[in-house]
Amino acid sequence: MRVINFAEQNSLVSQFMMELRDVNVHNDMLRFRRNLERIGEIMAYEISKTIVFNKCEIKTPLAPCQCQAIGEDIVLATIFRAGLPFHQGFLNYFDHAQNAFVSAFRKYTDEENFDVFIEYIASPDLNGKTLILCDPMLATGTSMELSYRALLTKGTPARIHVASVIASDVAVDYVKKTFPSDITTIWCGAIDPTINDHSYIVPGLGDAGDLAYGEKI
């Protein structure tokens, strides 16, 4: 399974990542959401280099022209709620893609232990399609796997791209073990070394959902 870590080479993602992590910028929810969106746009562009394009002929005002058009059926899937601006970044570029949404949440049994529950899923048929499954924070990988299992009830994709803004080493290893290695690629803005007792990525950036949309009760 191929893992692409954008932090291994400086780019605009480095600037956006710095702002996402910086507590001095965290009071600006608009900028936080926009940076998630922009990283999604950059990842969409990079993923586009790996997909199949087909030759086609179109007509300009002057003459016929040979072009290339996307040759794969793409489904963009995200996990509520923090995934929404990240998802929008992908949709800005894959603007003809179909879309799927999954709600996954942690229910804590005590201060350190939790179960992940799936409450809602809306998805088109996934059979033979390219699934881009995006969630900005890939801490343990459990929510990502359960969301993927839920989506499999809608069909079996031909290719899978797992996209996150920040992942932990633990989660990357977990995805490698639980997703089909021959058709899956992992895309990360950065991979952080550890998670804490509450399964938050360290150094991470905090709760992406709260920073994007405000605190919840």
Side-chain angles (χ1 to χ4, degrees):
M1 186 181 297
R2 190 179 176 204
V3 179
I4 292 88
N5 181 2
F6 283 75
E8 292 177 348
Q9 182 177 359
N10 284 331
S11 68
L12 279 172
V13 172
S14 304
Q15 174 69 29
F16 302 151
M17 189 70 67
M18 180 273 292
E19 294 180 5
L20 285 172
R21 292 185 189 267
D22 190 349
V23 295
N24 295 311
V25 186
H26 280 180
N27 62 343
D28 189 342
M29 288 192 292
L30 176 60
R31 175 166 288 276
F32 189 87
R33 292 193 301 270
R34 182 63 184 119
N35 282 336
L36 289 179
E37 186 179 2
R38 291 195 286 191
I39 292 174
E41 290 171 344
I42 292 170
M43 285 191 180
Y45 173 74
E46 293 299 324
I47 289 174
S48 75
K49 298 177 183 179
T50 73
I51 66 177
V52 172
F53 280 74
N54 295 329
K55 292 181 179 179
C56 63
E57 183 175 278
I58 57 96
K59 185 177 180 181
T60 79
L62 300 178
C65 178
Q66 297 295 319
C67 296
Q68 299 282 341
I70 292 175
E72 298 181 20
D73 291 324
I74 295 172
V75 177
L76 304 176
T78 196
I79 302 172
F80 290 144
R81 64 179 167 147
L84 291 174
F86 191 37
H87 178 100
Q88 185 61 49
F90 283 91
L91 188 58
N92 289 346
Y93 280 21
F94 292 117
D95 54 307
H96 296 295
Q98 294 179 294
N99 295 267
F101 301 94
V102 181
S103 72
F105 70 96
R106 296 179 178 184
K107 185 175 182 179
Y108 282 86
T109 55
D110 55 43
E111 289 188 358
E112 296 181 3
N113 299 297
F114 61 88
D115 296 315
V116 176
F117 290 89
I118 304 292
E119 278 194 333
Y120 171 87
I121 178 172
S123 174
D125 179 14
L126 296 177
N127 282 311
K129 297 178 181 178
T130 296
L131 174 65
I132 301 176
L133 181 51
C134 56
D135 188 16
M137 305 302 289
L138 191 60
T140 66
T142 305
S143 296
M144 186 69 79
E145 184 209 2
L146 290 179
S147 298
Y148 167 62
R149 299 296 175 196
L151 288 165
L152 285 179
T153 65
K154 308 302 181 182
T156 304
R159 299 179 68 190
I160 303 166
H161 298 278
V162 174
S164 70
V165 175
I166 302 177
S168 71
D169 278 325
V170 171
V172 170
D173 289 342
Y174 187 83
V175 170
K176 286 180 179 179
K177 293 175 183 176
T178 55
F179 278 67
S181 60
D182 56 331
I183 61 170
T184 303
T185 303
I186 303 173
W187 303 78
C188 304
I191 300 175
D192 285 357
T194 187
I195 56 177
N196 64 17
D197 292 340
H198 294 279
S199 296
Y200 284 115
I201 303 171
V202 179
L205 53 75
D207 189 307
D210 287 357
L211 291 167
Y213 296 109
E215 293 183 359
K216 57 188 177 295
I217 59 172

